[in-house]
Amino acid sequence: MNLKQYHNVHFLGIGGIGMSALARWFNLNGFAVSGYDRTPTELTDQLIKEGIDIHFEDDMSFISDSVKSDIDNTLIIITPAIPKAHKQLNFFKDNNYKMLKRSEVLGVISDNFKLVAVAGTHGKTTTSSMIAHLLKHAGRDIAAFLGGIATNYNSNFIANEALTPNTVAVVEADEFDRSFLTLNPDLAVITSADADHLDIYGDKAHLEHSFKAFIDKIKSTGKLFINEKITKDLVSTDFTKSVNTYGLNRGQFFASNITMGNGFFEFNYTDEINSINKLKLGVPGFHNVENATVAIAVALELGLTVEQIRTGIESYKGVKRRFEFIIRSEKVVFVDDYAHHPVEIEAFLKSLKALYPNKKVTAIFQPHLYSRTRDFAAEFAESLSLADEVILLDIYPAREEPIPGVTSDIVFKDINTEKSKCSKEDLLDVLYDYELEVVATIGAGDIDKLVKPIENLLTEKYHA
């Protein structure tokens, strides 16, 4: 498929983190880009400033005349989150526009590059942004399509300057809706394969089957970098391509001697050739040390030097909403994190408590999706119980309709620590009465809209 045959590119769901990265690529490459999304956000505001035409009403009058009149030269890119009754969606269907999913377009674009694809039920956004930063910091010409806003670049997209056989694209490979099966990686990373998206897959076995299919998409000369803990589950004994395992104190590439202080983690990296001691990671978390380990392994594979690795890791500033410090003072600490799966919450809270072992941790959690809450209610309760106290919000529905009997109560009842429930609207009033030391907002819904108000409350109350 030749994307150059299109002049106009219209996005349905342009404000999504993956969709917006593609929109930025098309905009930078001279296409006339426009799009619809349901609500304005900070991200859509930024896209508009970059010259992209965006509207927020499902009304054909907002579609440009060039898109309406030039069917043959217009590409429509859609996200599965767009409802079937959407007027614009059905107009484009009825008039036989060329329509592709985001993942299909990403596959077409990435085929032009040396491709590093990072997959996993968690860890993929941080790991892909780490790899992208290490390469960019070392002066390599890359393109990156990320699933979060990389703090170093304040963007989910890094544009390449040229396109040669050695130009690398770093892509977050999303398992949702089997999207990653459109990719053909030169180097593939799999960080994790815990049961998730069971509304799509049904059970863990079918999820693992999809990851195995992703592994099969690696080019014949390509390499797989996989977390040692899941290698036996996903890689068959007759797999002929190069397999490289990593982990904390385990695998062919491993981190060891992990220490922490002042909110940062220090560790040693070791593989069969290299030994790099006292690496200082600019973002905290045991899970982020693990992510950094495979990012380093991939960067070394792509020719970076030990010194480039050392300075790149130390200068990496993380991803928005991934262990993001909002306030870090002697009186109070406030951290925001995107964790929305029990395994992610466990990793986040264990690291947070390790950083602040003598302080009380208050976790504010917003469950994401009715189906995920139902499927992992007991696991959510167990992971949240790692906090000293929990404030539980209502479920954020995202793309789902309510499921009878499924509310945050099914998690709340089994939380084994100090706990309370409240609505988003009442949270600030409830929070003001708490004595707070370390506060964490956790979730993938719209809890991020509470971050600034909570920051203001803490700043006023504790003069932080």
Side-chain angles (χ1 to χ4, degrees), residues 139-266:
R140 295 288 294 272
D141 186 25
I142 68 162
F145 299 85
L146 307 173
I149 304 299
T151 303
N152 290 83
Y153 309 97
N154 195 32
S155 182
N156 54 348
F157 172 63
I158 300 173
N160 58 298
E161 297 174 6
L163 184 56
T164 72
N166 292 320
T167 307
V168 174
V170 182
V171 169
E172 179 169 329
D174 191 0
E175 76 281 358
F176 175 74
D177 201 27
R178 299 174 176 84
S179 294
F180 57 2
L181 299 184
T182 63
L183 303 173
N184 298 284
D186 295 276
L187 303 178
V189 175
I190 301 181
T191 61
S192 53
D194 294 293
D196 198 7
H197 303 302
L198 299 186
D199 55 326
I200 300 293
Y201 289 103
D203 56 34
K204 187 178 180 182
H206 284 87
L207 174 75
E208 289 181 347
H209 178 78
S210 192
F211 273 99
K212 291 174 184 177
F214 171 70
I215 290 171
D216 288 339
K217 300 282 287 185
I218 298 171
K219 293 174 183 175
S220 58
T221 56
K223 293 186 177 183
L224 170 65
F225 295 81
I226 185 168
N227 195 307
E228 197 272 343
K229 291 178 287 189
I230 58 172
T231 305
K232 291 180 181 178
D233 296 330
L234 299 184
V235 183
S236 62
T237 54
D238 58 354
F239 186 71
T240 57
K241 299 164 193 171
S242 174
V243 179
N244 306 273
T245 62
Y246 74 94
L248 301 183
N249 298 301
R250 58 198 294 177
Q252 297 162 271
F253 306 81
F254 62 91
S256 61
N257 297 332
I258 303 168
T259 60
M260 66 202 77
N262 197 29
F264 295 96
F265 279 56
E266 194 173 88

Side-chain angles (χ1 to χ4, degrees), residues 9 42 61 72 79 94 97 102 104 109 156 165 230 248 258-259 271 288 312 326 355 380 461 464:
V9 184
E42 185 177 337
S61 66
D72 292 340
T79 172
D94 294 342
Y97 282 77
R102 178 194 67 85
E104 294 173 310
I109 293 172
N156 54 348
I230 58 172
L248 301 183
I258 303 168
T259 60
D271 62 30
N288 283 328
I326 309 300
L355 281 172
F380 276 122
K461 185 175 179 179

Side-chain angles (χ1 to χ4, degrees), residues 67 79 170 261 279 318 349 362 368 370 429 442:
V67 169
T79 172
V170 182
L279 286 162
L349 288 176
T362 302
H368 183 260
Y370 293 104
D429 290 336
I442 307 170

